[in-house]
Amino acid sequence: MKKTFTFIALLMFCMALFAGGSNEQSSDIPASVSLSDKSEVTVAVTQNLVSLDVGTTPSGASLAVFDMIYDYLVDSDHNGNLMPQLATSWEVSEDNLTWTFHLREGVKFHNGEDFTSDDVVFTFERMQENPSKYPLYSANNFSLIVSVDAIDDYTVTFTTSEPFGALLTSLSGMAIIPADTVRELGDAFFTEGYCYGTGPWKFEEWIDGQYISFTRNDEYWAGQTSNVDRLVMRFITESSSIVAGLISGTIDATGRVPSDMLSQFDGHPEIILDTVDTSQILIIGLQCGDYSPFHDENVRKAFSYAIDRQLLCDAIMGGGKASNSIMSEGTLGYDANVKMPYDPELAKQLLSESDYNGEPITLYVNTAVVQGEEIMLAVCDMVNSVGFNCNIQMVEQAYINEVRVSGDYDAYVVTASFTGGDPYGYLNQRVLSDSHHHNYADPEINDYITLSNRETDQTQRNEYLKSAVGLMSEHCAPQIALFCYEYNTAIRDGVEGIEYSPEGLYYFDDVYIDK
Amino acid sequence: MGKYILRRLGATIVVLFFATLITFILIRLAPGNPALMMLADSATPEEIAAMEAYLGLDKPVIVQYLIYIAGIFKGDFGTSIMYQRPCIDIILSRLPATALLTFAGCTVGLLVAIPLGVLAGVKQGSMVDLSAMTFALLGQSMATVWLAVLLVLIFSVHLGWLPALGYGTFKHLILPAITIGFPLASQTTRLARSGMVDVLKEDYITSTYAKGISRRQVYTKYAFKNAMLPVITIVGLQIAGYLGGAVVTEQVFSWPGLGALMVSAIGNRDYPLVQSTLLVVAVMVSLVNLIVDIINCLVDRRMTLN
Amino acid sequence: MEHALIEIKDLKVEFKTERATAYALNGVNLEIKKGESLGLVGEAGAGKTTTALSILNLLAKPAAHIMGGDVLYKGTSVFSMSEKKLRDIRGKEISMIFQNPLTSLNPVFTVGEQIAMVLRTHKNLGKKEAFQEAGKLLETVGIASYRLSDYPHQFSGGMRQRVGIAASLACNPELLIADEPTTALDVTIQAQILELMKDLQDKYSTSLLMITHNLGIISELCQKVAVMYAGRIIEYGTVKEVFKYPAHPYTKGLLGAIPRLDVDSDHLEVIPGNIANVHHLPSGCKFHPRCAFCKKECEQEEPAMNRINDNHYVACYINEGGL
């Protein structure tokens, strides 16, 4: 009996050590309930941050984080407009292949080092040496950049292999890192927690799966107006937890409250609710190969016209905007004159005239789509009532990825957004290159896309984009858009400066407390 | 005892080998692959192929497995594709949270269940017994997520006594521990109760009373030890289960444990991380099982380690 | 007049469950004097163990109900004693050896602990001293003291029974109740145990209630004998008297059923029929359905205990007033 006791006691002791040890390493996060005596803000993001490396796969969490710590050559307002940040001005050569950027002088990294052209060159070349290791390279189309050269300490040139109209948008996602330190430390710069940049906030600490925290950079080159000493960004996947956190005071702001949870805030006037229009759309990608019912344009049109997009917004989403094309107001390529009617009678007619004979059609719906099942069940109802035989299957992201590589699908349903409000990436990969194997190639659309790629004059480029996008809506291929999401934000009264971009992402670098 | 432990370790290694092999195969059978998950969904086929080569996925599966196993023997558990850091670092950083939650939850559960179960067994048919059984029924019928959200609603949102989520202080631990402890407590209460009821009927208890031993001593010592025998095994199994990660609890409370890690690793098809996390969990489960078996033999000397 | 050590007066005990009631004891009358050894004989199910447990007030609640009568220990009713008083008596003044050695020891405690617990409780010994004493007690029953830290499953049935005996003698009880102590053991072990008990009787003059269905043991160990049937004592007296001149047909049957080496016989005498069903007891004399000498009155009314002589009493209409 004695031996048993000793054994169990030892076991418990070991576990207690574990517990004690772990308690020591994670810091106490005080709840910022009363803002009058605290100068700390805690926000919730629904995605988990996995890496501090600026070359990692862009995600909602990573974009928000890098925005705090780093700066970019150009800053995007997420509506397609680009402003100078670390680059004060730029020109393009006559052959449209060389871009020259003039860099801002007097900018310092958080450790006091000067920002120079070397940092820009290094940031790029690091990815170029090992593109597979840095998914940002692929995500922002950096393969089109042949080389980056430092002309002098404050001048850099980017040479592209072909005219690259969206270079500025791509560069607005490339955070500039300190060359000397990263050369020396390598990946440890990120994994060991140095990660400093030139941005308005300094990195404090990151506990995987929990939160990342920042402290204010009072030496920010553009001047610092925030009065918040510390910002904590918590990663919380469960919506009900976020709501509970807001009400109980652990969290001060969040950007994605499901509409059915808004009523939880009744009786809590200290939480201010608002809505944000985004350009994030729900698209249905249609398989246009010979073997598919959607090969026939009339079938596609019947499908699209049978859907009452406005009803989906009103009845299910409690907000949002019905789409006439893949782009939305405020983004490049948007044209209010494009028509996408809701006409079930016409749909029925078009369908009956086609060769479609009631073959079953399966729509793969990504489980990550907010209220995806609800929406698509309604859509099925709508299209089935004009003669389709559709059903849905909820699948995870990895599954969608795989079927899009093989082309083995009738249709898939996902959300899409446009970095910087620019459809460059979308049009090139999903339409021109058909990386998702829709088997749809319209020479007219492709021509417009190519023209827009090469056009460096932004106004003319927009015209080409409008044409391409408009034709997509006309032919209902290769994807049709249903609506743009509207997000519900919940912010504690007094916390200001949180920006919600039309991409559906939110940025905290301008946060301040209004007491 | 030493020989037995060695034999068990040998058997464990075989089990672990099969566990890794099965995981290896299963995760690769799932649609999608890490290269697709890492790249933005606008990547070109060349970029995908390059990424696959970079991740070593272009090699035949058997070769990939052998490379992985060889790595394990060298102490290299692979590099997480998502995190771009050694898997073992990530797992070890999450392990304390899971261990703490398991330990706290089981402690809470047992502290409630054992006295309650014993009391219910002793006072069979009384109000105490009825309440205990109702409590046990509730616990076993409640869905974890429902209980978790309910606790948050009451103690965090309405009363404001405890934080709704997070990790780091004792206050953060209370609600998640209760969420874990409650179903465990229900099961254990029933076991302790029935164990007690059965034992009290035994001849040796009558003979103990005939020696003039008090009821209290019988309930807390001489019948107690016997009644707890089935409890030990069941609780051991539960602990092993929770060490694998209490996913729902972790998600609701934003508890940075292994469960949430495993789920996101699987969703992202992070092969090395899935494999390594499973291996670590399997090791822990084996260890717990071994400890339970040893404890069982120490407590009940009739059982031998064969 | 001094009270006998134990007086059982017209004890009636029923076991009530949801389904049925078992009439275990139907008016038991017994007496054990100081220093006396009484054998209690009867078939399985007669009520012997119930009688023994009621002396210690250890009948299983909630099923057991005392429907009438009393058990007096040194003149005080055990049913009116406080829990504390009872605990003081149990294991110290009155000890019990249980029938099945395989189930009467706790499997997860050492035998040393199971003897020491008695010493710690009653003699207030510390842990170490209690174990030392326990070791000595084991030696007296013929088990090496180094086996104190062994567990019951490491002993044979006979040795386990000896452990039980050691525990029961730890505090030198005034009365030792032995409930079929050798029934589960083979003959050679039986002999050993009996030797042991005789030894102890001689040394300490402990009163003994020896419960058994083995008449041979009674003739070896006991001065008095009581024959029990269907929860009643139907014959009582000194061993010499009762065994030589059995008065009750049942007792005759029991004695007749013993095979004898000195008599040439092809068959054993058997008592026809089965033991009375405790749920549905016959009217009148409980034995009458099996009795060859059954008369009308036997069926109607229960016979009272009749005195044959000072050393012999019987409850039977056939043998009133003696042979």
Side-chain angles (χ1 to χ4, degrees):
Chain A
M1 196 59 185
K2 215 183 194 163
K3 275 189 268 175
T4 320
F5 264 134
T6 325
F7 199 87
I8 299 179
L10 264 173
L11 197 68
M12 290 188 148
F13 182 62
C14 290
M15 287 181 130
L17 275 181
F18 245 150
S22 64
N23 256 332
E24 279 173 89
Q25 65 172 277
S26 5
S27 60
D28 192 348
I29 307 156
S32 30
V33 181
S34 157
L35 287 173
S36 55
D37 53 344
K38 294 207 201 308
S39 57
E40 183 175 303
V41 171
T42 305
V43 300
V45 298
T46 50
Q47 277 180 308
N48 192 25
L49 183 73
V50 290
S51 172
L52 291 171
D53 194 320
V54 293
T56 191
T57 312
S59 69
S62 70
L63 289 170
V65 166
F66 298 151
D67 213 56
M68 305 282 282
I69 307 172
Y70 305 99
D71 284 320
Y72 307 83
L73 284 179
V74 291
D75 188 22
S76 167
D77 72 346
H78 314 293
N79 263 323
N81 299 312
L82 296 153
M83 283 95 63
Q85 198 170 52
L86 288 179
T88 52
S89 62
W90 51 87
E91 315 80 54
V92 195
S93 66
E94 265 189 39
D95 62 358
N96 285 327
L97 294 177
T98 308
W99 297 67
T100 308
F101 290 88
H102 302 281
L103 304 176
R104 195 178 300 273
E105 298 183 35
V107 175
K108 291 200 187 294
F109 284 95
H110 298 153
N111 67 341
E113 279 169 17
D114 282 319
F115 159 69
T116 64
S117 55
D118 184 36
D119 302 306
V120 177
V121 174
F122 176 78
T123 302
F124 180 78
E125 284 183 344
R126 175 180 182 255
M127 290 189 288
Q128 199 184 34
E129 271 158 35
N130 203 346
S132 287
K133 191 174 172 199
Y134 304 105
L136 181 73
Y137 189 83
S138 149
N140 284 28
N141 309 108
F142 287 137
S143 52
L144 288 173
I145 302 174
V146 173
S147 67
V148 180
D149 303 291
I151 306 299
D152 61 50
D153 273 349
Y154 294 101
T155 317
V156 177
T157 56
F158 281 76
T159 313
T160 61
S161 57
E162 54 185 66
F164 184 8
L167 174 68
L168 293 175
T169 312
S170 287
L171 290 178
S172 73
M174 186 176 89
I176 307 297
I177 51 179
D180 293 328
T181 319
V182 183
R183 270 194 200 105
E184 195 187 306
L185 295 173
D187 287 341
F189 176 79
F190 299 104
T191 56
E192 299 295 313
Y194 292 86
C195 31
Y196 57 81
T198 59
W201 294 81
K202 295 184 195 171
F203 171 73
E204 192 191 44
E205 69 173 335
W206 173 45
I207 315 272
D208 168 40
Q210 275 206 79
Y211 67 87
I212 183 171
S213 61
F214 311 90
T215 53
R216 192 181 64 231
N217 178 15
D218 288 316
E219 283 89 45
Y220 187 49
W221 57 267
Q224 180 60 267
T225 51
S226 173
N227 58 357
V228 176
D229 291 336
R230 183 172 184 254
L231 184 96
V232 178
M233 200 183 287
R234 291 195 139 271
F235 314 114
I236 306 173
T237 44
E238 188 72 34
S239 308
S240 59
S241 303
I242 297 180
V243 170
L246 271 164
I247 297 178
S248 66
T250 317
I251 301 169
D252 298 311
T254 188
R256 256 190 237 196
V257 181
S259 25
D260 55 349
M261 289 198 193
L262 290 174
S263 57
Q264 297 274 342
F265 295 106
D266 290 346
H268 291 279
E270 74 276 12
I271 307 285
I272 314 241
L273 303 174
D274 202 356
T275 57
V276 176
D277 287 326
T278 72
S279 63
Q280 191 179 53
I281 50 169
L282 184 69
I283 57 167
I284 305 181
L286 304 169
Q287 177 54 257
C288 303
D290 287 336
Y291 50 90
S292 165
F294 293 119
H295 176 71
D296 183 347
E297 180 160 317
N298 285 332
V299 174
R300 295 198 300 270
K301 282 182 170 165
F303 190 83
S304 187
Y305 298 164
I307 303 173
D308 186 352
R309 291 162 170 77
Q310 193 57 51
L311 184 64
L312 291 174
C313 291
D314 296 336
I316 298 179
M317 301 308 293
K321 287 205 169 77
S323 298
N324 62 356
S325 72
I326 58 167
M327 301 313 287
S328 57
E329 211 176 309
T331 60
L332 292 175
Y334 174 69
D335 186 350
N337 298 319
V338 172
K339 299 269 172 276
M340 184 57 77
Y342 167 55
D343 196 339
E345 288 309 314
L346 179 58
K348 241 186 252 180
Q349 195 193 330
L350 287 169
L351 193 62
S352 58
E353 285 167 11
S354 74
D355 283 332
Y356 178 67
N357 269 324
E359 296 92 308
I361 295 174
T362 305
L363 310 170
Y364 292 133
V365 184
N366 189 347
T367 50
V369 172
V370 174
Q371 291 179 279
E373 194 170 4
E374 264 180 287
I375 297 167
M376 290 318 296
L377 283 171
V379 167
C380 269
D381 240 22
M382 292 173 189
V383 299
N384 288 349
S385 67
V386 303
F388 279 96
N389 181 9
C390 285
N391 61 84
I392 67 166
Q393 198 178 325
M394 304 299 294
V395 296
E396 54 173 344
Q397 181 66 49
Y399 191 92
I400 299 259
N401 287 353
E402 179 149 302
V403 297
R404 290 198 296 201
V405 164
S406 61
D408 186 16
Y409 58 87
D410 297 326
Y412 63 84
V413 181
V414 296
T415 55
S417 56
F418 307 95
T419 322
D422 189 331
Y424 176 82
Y426 186 103
L427 289 174
N428 274 288
Q429 296 311 326
R430 301 191 202 213
V431 183
L432 189 60
S433 307
D434 195 17
S435 55
H436 294 160
H437 297 90
H438 293 276
N439 297 308
Y440 180 79
D442 181 323
E444 219 186 333
I445 297 180
N446 291 349
D447 278 344
Y448 277 122
I449 296 176
T450 313
L451 283 169
S452 77
N453 285 348
R454 295 164 175 277
E455 183 55 65
T456 51
D457 171 38
Q458 300 301 326
T459 318
Q460 183 54 48
R461 183 165 171 258
N462 197 22
E463 290 305 311
Y464 290 135
L465 289 173
K466 276 159 88 168
S467 304
V469 169
L471 282 169
M472 280 175 67
S473 289
E474 197 183 303
H475 298 298
C476 293
Q479 304 96 10
I480 55 170
L482 292 189
F483 57 81
C484 286
Y485 279 91
E486 183 187 81
Y487 285 154
N488 301 303
T489 67
I491 306 179
R492 189 171 307 280
D493 191 13
V495 177
E496 309 284 340
I498 298 181
E499 283 162 31
Y500 290 88
S501 76
E503 293 151 4
L505 304 169
Y506 29 122
Y507 298 93
F508 308 103
D509 49 326
D510 286 330
V511 69
Y512 67 93
I513 298 175
D514 186 8
K515 295 186 193 189
Chain B
M1 172 79 90
K3 255 201 278 178
Y4 173 73
I5 293 183
L6 276 173
R7 254 186 300 138
R8 274 293 284 266
L9 284 177
T12 306
I13 290 177
V14 175
V15 169
L16 290 177
F17 169 76
F18 277 109
T20 56
L21 184 62
I22 293 173
T23 315
F24 199 88
I25 295 171
L26 278 181
I27 192 68
R28 278 165 178 72
L29 284 177
N33 73 31
L36 288 173
M37 298 304 296
M38 283 298 284
L39 297 170
D41 54 4
S42 51
T44 63
E46 295 82 38
E47 286 169 336
I48 296 174
M51 178 65 101
E52 286 177 353
Y54 175 71
L55 294 173
L57 298 173
D58 53 340
K59 300 194 180 67
V61 178
I62 215 34
V63 174
Q64 289 182 45
Y65 184 65
L66 291 172
I67 293 175
Y68 176 65
I69 293 292
I72 303 278
F73 279 115
K74 279 187 269 170
D76 173 16
F77 281 69
T79 307
S80 161
I81 297 171
M82 289 198 292
Y83 288 87
Q84 285 294 308
R85 275 160 57 206
C87 293
I88 197 65
D89 288 349
I90 302 164
I91 296 170
L92 287 179
S93 74
R94 300 278 204 142
L95 189 58
T98 292
L100 179 64
L101 183 60
T102 304
F103 176 61
C106 290
T107 305
V108 165
L110 291 177
L111 279 179
V112 166
I114 291 182
L116 188 61
V118 167
L119 199 62
V122 161
K123 291 190 187 298
Q124 200 186 355
S126 67
M127 274 311 288
V128 178
D129 188 14
L130 196 65
S131 322
M133 286 300 101
T134 311
F135 161 78
L137 186 66
L138 270 178
Q140 297 203 286
S141 331
M142 258 190 224
T144 312
V145 64
W146 191 83
L147 174 65
V149 173
L150 184 71
L151 287 172
V152 168
L153 205 62
I154 297 174
F155 293 99
S156 239
V157 176
H158 282 286
L159 293 173
W161 289 349
L162 296 168
L165 48 90
Y167 169 73
T169 69
F170 180 70
K171 270 188 166 183
H172 288 105
L173 182 58
I174 296 176
L175 293 182
I178 295 177
T179 309
I180 295 283
F182 200 61
L184 179 70
S186 318
Q187 202 176 13
T188 309
T189 303
R190 295 176 91 214
L191 272 176
R193 176 195 179 274
S194 67
M196 205 61 187
V197 165
D198 287 343
V199 166
L200 287 176
K201 291 190 204 147
E202 293 284 342
D203 276 350
Y204 54 80
I205 296 299
T206 314
S207 71
T208 306
Y209 282 132
K211 291 174 181 164
I213 309 298
S214 71
R215 288 190 182 280
R216 191 164 46 89
Q217 272 218 301
V218 167
Y219 296 152
T220 58
K221 187 174 174 186
Y222 295 112
F224 182 77
K225 199 172 174 187
N226 306 65
M228 286 304 110
L229 295 179
V231 173
I232 295 173
T233 309
I234 300 294
V235 170
L237 284 173
Q238 289 282 63
I239 292 180
Y242 288 133
L243 282 174
V247 179
V248 172
T249 309
E250 287 177 17
Q251 284 185 325
V252 173
F253 291 102
S254 258
W255 193 263
L258 289 176
L261 181 68
M262 182 70 118
V263 168
S264 85
I266 294 173
N268 283 304
R269 302 291 190 271
D270 189 343
Y271 294 161
L273 192 57
V274 171
Q275 286 153 208
S276 304
T277 309
L278 192 100
L279 185 60
V280 169
V281 170
V283 168
M284 289 197 292
V285 169
S286 302
L287 203 67
V288 170
N289 282 336
L290 179 63
I291 292 174
V292 166
D293 282 347
I294 292 178
I295 291 181
N296 259 329
C297 289
L298 287 176
V299 172
D300 183 359
R301 295 312 177 93
R302 289 170 295 180
M303 295 174 60
T304 55
L305 289 170
N306 292 310
Chain C
M1 196 176 89
E2 222 196 83
H3 283 278
L5 197 61
I6 296 285
E7 288 170 66
I8 304 181
K9 295 189 171 165
D10 204 31
L11 185 62
K12 295 194 174 74
V13 172
E14 285 171 20
F15 288 96
K16 286 203 175 94
T17 60
E18 271 164 27
R19 274 174 275 149
T21 309
Y23 303 94
L25 301 182
N26 303 296
V28 175
N29 285 287
L30 265 189
E31 206 178 73
I32 306 173
K33 295 204 179 57
K34 184 144 177 53
E36 194 172 68
S37 58
L38 170 68
L40 185 58
V41 166
E43 283 170 275
K48 311 189 293 295
T49 307
T50 311
T51 309
L53 287 175
S54 56
I55 295 176
L56 286 171
N57 199 356
L58 270 182
L59 293 169
K61 312 226 174 65
H65 294 263
I66 316 290
M67 300 308 287
D70 211 351
V71 177
L72 303 177
Y73 171 66
K74 290 189 179 166
T76 317
S77 163
V78 301
F79 301 124
S80 68
M81 285 183 197
S82 67
E83 188 69 22
K84 185 167 188 326
K85 185 88 176 81
L86 283 168
R87 288 205 308 263
D88 278 339
I89 295 174
R90 292 173 187 153
K92 186 166 122 194
E93 295 175 45
I94 307 178
S95 281
M96 187 157 164
I97 303 167
F98 284 76
Q99 184 173 340
N100 188 346
L102 298 176
T103 60
S104 56
L105 287 177
N106 194 325
V108 298
F109 289 91
T110 60
V111 304
E113 170 65 27
Q114 300 194 55
I115 301 174
M117 67 164 82
V118 185
L119 296 164
R120 287 204 305 270
T121 310
H122 296 296
K123 285 193 180 171
N124 248 314
L125 294 182
K127 264 188 106 163
K128 231 169 139 197
E129 299 165 291
F131 262 89
Q132 274 173 351
E133 269 285 314
K136 285 195 217 143
L137 282 163
L138 274 185
E139 301 271 349
T140 55
V141 296
I143 301 178
S145 64
Y146 66 77
R147 300 213 65 184
L148 271 180
S149 47
D150 283 340
Y151 288 81
H153 67 274
Q154 294 170 282
F155 292 88
S156 68
M159 292 179 89
R160 283 190 233 189
Q161 196 62 297
R162 282 194 254 168
V163 170
I165 294 172
S168 66
L169 296 174
C171 303
N172 264 324
E174 305 221 25
L175 168 66
L176 180 63
I177 306 175
D179 188 358
E180 312 226 30
T182 58
T183 307
L185 306 172
D186 69 48
V187 202
T188 44
I189 310 295
Q190 223 179 71
Q192 279 177 13
I193 301 280
L194 291 178
E195 268 304 313
L196 179 58
M197 297 192 78
K198 259 213 269 198
D199 234 7
L200 298 169
Q201 248 194 319
D202 293 335
K203 268 213 280 204
Y204 301 108
S205 61
T206 316
S207 303
L208 175 66
L209 174 61
M210 177 55 111
I211 301 174
T212 177
H213 55 259
N214 185 329
L215 300 171
I217 293 179
I218 295 194
S219 59
E220 283 253 359
L221 278 185
C222 304
Q223 296 137 8
K224 298 257 182 70
V225 63
V227 181
M228 197 169 194
Y229 185 82
R232 282 200 99 207
I233 307 293
I234 48 102
E235 190 158 351
Y236 172 76
T238 59
V239 171
K240 269 210 208 104
E241 264 288 319
V242 175
F243 280 16
K244 222 163 170 217
Y245 307 109
H248 198 286
Y250 178 62
T251 318
K252 281 195 220 159
L254 281 181
L255 288 162
I258 300 173
R260 296 179 57 161
L261 292 172
D262 56 342
V263 170
D264 226 348
S265 181
D266 283 338
H267 62 272
L268 289 173
E269 296 282 340
V270 291
I271 309 173
N274 290 314
I275 189 155
N277 182 345
V278 285
H279 300 293
H280 297 292
L281 289 171
S283 57
C285 170
K286 306 273 186 289
F287 186 65
H288 86 251
R290 304 168 76 182
C291 188
F293 308 100
C294 180
K295 295 201 299 218
K296 197 115 198 256
E297 17 175 11
C298 303
E299 293 173 37
Q300 284 162 346
E301 216 184 295
E302 188 120 50
M305 255 332 215
N306 277 307
R307 181 185 178 280
I308 299 176
N309 63 50
D310 268 340
N311 295 326
H312 200 163
Y313 295 78
V314 70
C316 182
Y317 293 123
I318 314 296
N319 286 298
E320 286 174 310
L323 295 159

